Amino acid sequence: LQIVRDLYIEKALIGYEPVWSIGEKGTPAEPGYVEESFQLIKEALVELERKPENFPLLYGGSVNVENAKQLASLDSCDGLFVGRSAWSKDGFRNVFEKAYAGYKSKF
């Protein structure tokens, strides 16, 4: 997040992906871990005197149809970035529908 301060960035999307969840054999992070990580990022943004609402937080890392709903429903999660699970139009639709259901459950 140092770059946010050094470059005077006022708005940006922030994508978070744990290193162990990257790639075909990646393991998705547990939802509690993602929420905790996002809270730490928001705290860092406040320390950098930035408005957290100007920095939507996206989770990536082995997002798939099985975990998209739960991840998208996390309080601090503003969206998902998805890799191979969305390579086909059916895969994209399935992940989107699950994620959207999770997102809607927050309201």
Side-chain angles (χ1 to χ4, degrees), residues 15-88:
Y16 173 70
E17 183 172 12
V19 70
W20 67 84
S21 68
I22 297 171
E24 187 174 357
K25 301 204 186 298
T27 303
E30 292 295 322
Y33 178 86
V34 175
E35 184 67 24
E36 182 180 322
S37 298
F38 281 175
Q39 288 300 319
L40 291 171
I41 292 169
K42 287 183 180 209
E43 289 171 15
L45 288 166
V46 170
E47 287 176 21
L48 292 170
E49 299 178 348
R50 298 298 187 272
K51 297 177 183 177
E53 61 271 16
N54 288 344
F55 294 87
L57 301 176
L58 310 176
Y59 176 76
S62 301
V63 174
N64 56 51
V65 72
E66 288 83 30
N67 62 16
K69 182 176 182 178
Q70 187 175 22
L71 290 166
S73 70
L74 295 173
D75 289 339
S76 296
C77 185
D78 298 307
L80 304 173
F81 59 98
V82 184
R84 66 185 37 81
S85 293
W87 282 357
S88 70

Side-chain angles (χ1 to χ4, degrees), residues 87-106:
W87 282 357
S88 70
K89 66 180 178 180
D90 289 337
F92 176 83
R93 183 180 334 111
N94 291 335
V95 172
F96 173 82
E97 288 172 352
K98 294 290 186 180
Y100 188 60
Y103 173 76
K104 287 191 322 185
S105 73
K106 295 193 277 191

